[in-house]
Amino acid sequence: IATPSSDLPVIDLAIDDFYFDKKHGARALADLKSLNLGRLVIGCHTNDEKELLAALDGAGMDAATLYLGRLNSGDVGAYARQVDAVRAPQLARKVVRTLTAEHLPSTPSNVLMLLTILIRDEQILAGSTPTLVDQFVALLMSEGLMSSGRQRLDNQDFIDILEFFAAFLASRRRAECRIDDFLEMLLEYMEQVGWAFEGQLVLDRLLATRVLALRENNVRFAHSSYLYLFIARHARADSVFKALLLSDPLFFREVLTYYAALTRNDPEVLEMVKELMAKVPVRVEPGKTFIDDGMVLEVEEETASGEGSESTPTRVEEADQSEGAASASRTEEVASKGDDEKTVPFDALE
């Protein structure tokens, strides 16, 4: 500025840890309003934002709320109490369990969407986590349409594209693909269904939903749970593709878990599980109770009392080791093929 009395130029101002009190808060906001501000960012503690927003509105200042950081279980409980005070503990446990199991960010947006789904459908509250994730993704995909001439893409059309993309990745045992490969795959799909849309615009729309993401010019699902979900959804409508998954159940174990949750009592899946259980007997100490995922097995004394039982390694450990070796060999084999060498293998997902 030219002189001490000159007007200040347009500035951006950020204030952190702002606490509004009735004695000095109104004056502080009036002083802020008198400044020539381009942008004002005020940080406050969680649960203080409502009072601050009301004060800003009273001072004639328009404001939007942006939440930073992750919520803890206590924060989730507070949100649940605002939605349904009676069922708050049950709702909060379900949300926290889902966020943890599916590795979803514990942001206010995700928490509120999960709570919205749970209070809308009580059966989902008592159901499996994959079922809740399915509804969660559908809610993410529900924003807006895309039109081109007389054609338009709606929510279900985008879901169909994501299912096709998930199957495309699964058949190649990859977790992502290059942008060029995605656009080529998308063009192939649109030719099959008779759509005339620009591939890049469709990709941009899918990225905006946060279901897909870009990583080093590779297209992938934003979270592994989304990938497993859409592979499972595609398998419900494509018996040939489902047979591919069942041909290697250990490799696609996460996907088949989702499939089983979405499609109850599938005879082929039940038979596959039966065959796997027959191949991997469990050996435990006599008199013990084996508990795994809610299944309880009472073991009698003679179960492990054969000759040489102490010197024989457990078959479960052997199976785990062979599975790991097979998985590693598959990863090396796929990772060595041409253009896919810079993309993440399917079984390398976290």
Side-chain angles (χ1 to χ4, degrees):
I1 60 176
T3 65
S5 59
S6 299
D7 293 334
L8 290 174
V10 176
I11 60 174
D12 292 338
L13 177 63
I15 304 174
D16 194 16
D17 201 19
F18 186 90
Y19 175 72
F20 180 83
D21 66 90
K22 296 180 180 179
K23 184 176 181 181
H24 305 290
R27 180 177 176 180
L29 294 180
D31 290 342
L32 291 172
K33 185 179 180 182
S34 66
L35 298 176
N36 189 15
L37 297 178
R39 177 180 299 176
L40 174 62
V41 179
I42 301 177
C44 66
H45 291 284
T46 304
N47 299 324
D48 289 347
E49 67 272 17
K50 286 187 177 180
E51 185 178 9
L52 180 56
L53 284 170
L56 288 167
D57 183 65
M61 303 170 70
D62 294 330
T65 307
L66 177 64
Y67 290 93
L68 304 176
R70 307 291 175 88
L71 301 179
N72 57 35
S73 57
D75 297 326
V76 175
Y79 276 81
R81 285 191 293 274
Q82 294 180 28
V83 171
D84 188 331
V86 176
R87 297 187 299 164
Q90 187 181 6
L91 291 169
R93 283 196 299 270
K94 185 69 172 182
V95 169
V96 171
R97 189 181 300 117
T98 301
L99 294 172
T100 303
E102 305 304 328
H103 307 289
L104 298 175
S106 56
T107 60
S109 175
N110 286 348
V111 170
L112 289 174
M113 281 198 295
L114 289 172
L115 287 172
T116 299
I117 297 168
L118 291 173
I119 63 174
R120 190 171 57 190
D121 191 340
E122 292 188 1
Q123 291 184 347
I124 294 180
L125 181 58
S128 63
T129 299
T131 305
L132 178 55
V133 175
D134 187 29
Q135 294 293 320
F136 176 80
V137 172
L139 195 58
L140 283 177
M141 299 296 302
S142 64
E143 300 177 2
L145 301 171
M146 183 174 177
S147 301
S148 176
R150 294 184 177 182
Q151 294 182 328
R152 73 172 189 175
L153 299 182
D154 59 20
N155 176 34
Q156 186 57 52
D157 294 326
F158 285 114
I159 289 177
D160 291 342
I161 293 173
L162 291 172
E163 289 183 16
F164 190 82
F165 176 47
F168 171 83
L169 293 177
S171 63
R172 290 157 179 76
R173 297 176 183 253
R174 311 302 298 176
E176 59 185 22
C177 71
R178 299 182 310 165
I179 293 180
D180 292 344
D181 293 333
F182 177 88
L183 294 177
E184 183 179 345
M185 177 275 308
L186 184 59
L187 178 61
E188 175 189 344
Y189 179 77
M190 290 194 294
E191 288 178 348
Q192 290 179 12
V193 296
W195 292 343
F197 290 89
E198 185 178 340
Q200 185 61 53
L201 294 179
V202 176
L203 174 58
D204 291 341
R205 170 67 178 82
L206 291 171
L207 292 172
T209 66
R210 295 174 292 158
V211 175
L212 293 186
L214 283 180
R215 177 180 176 181
E216 298 178 356
N217 292 320
N218 292 323
V219 184
R220 56 158 43 201
F221 283 88
H223 302 286
S224 58
S225 55
Y226 297 169
L227 172 61
Y228 303 148
L229 170 67
F230 281 102
I231 295 175
R233 287 179 62 96
H234 189 79
R236 291 192 303 180
D238 189 333
S239 59
V240 175
F241 180 70
K242 183 179 73 171
L244 170 68
L245 303 181
L246 294 177
S247 67
D248 198 349
L250 295 181
F251 184 85
F252 291 111
R253 57 191 178 276
E254 297 287 352
V255 174
L256 291 173
T257 299
Y258 270 77
Y259 179 84
L262 298 177
T263 308
R264 298 289 185 177
N265 300 323
D266 185 311
E268 294 180 67
V269 174
L270 294 174
E271 184 63 28
M272 177 270 297
V273 173
K274 180 180 177 181
E275 292 177 1
L276 283 179
M277 293 297 291
K279 292 178 181 178
V280 189
V282 178
R283 197 189 69 139
V284 296
E285 296 181 13
K288 297 291 185 179
T289 300
F290 175 71
I291 303 176
D292 182 20
D293 293 336
M295 183 170 62
V296 180
L297 265 164
E298 293 291 347
V299 182
E300 299 178 358
E301 290 289 334
E302 61 269 26
T303 302
S305 60
E307 276 189 29
S309 60
E310 294 183 358
S311 61
T312 303
T314 62
R315 297 182 186 179
V316 174
E317 293 175 355
E318 290 177 344
D320 288 342
Q321 292 171 1
S322 63
E323 177 191 336
S327 176
S329 65
R330 287 193 294 266
T331 301
E332 292 173 3
E333 177 185 354
V334 176
S336 63
K337 293 182 180 179
D339 295 333
D340 280 342
E341 61 183 0
K342 293 184 179 180
T343 58
V344 175
F346 185 92
D347 55 352
L349 287 172
E350 297 179 356

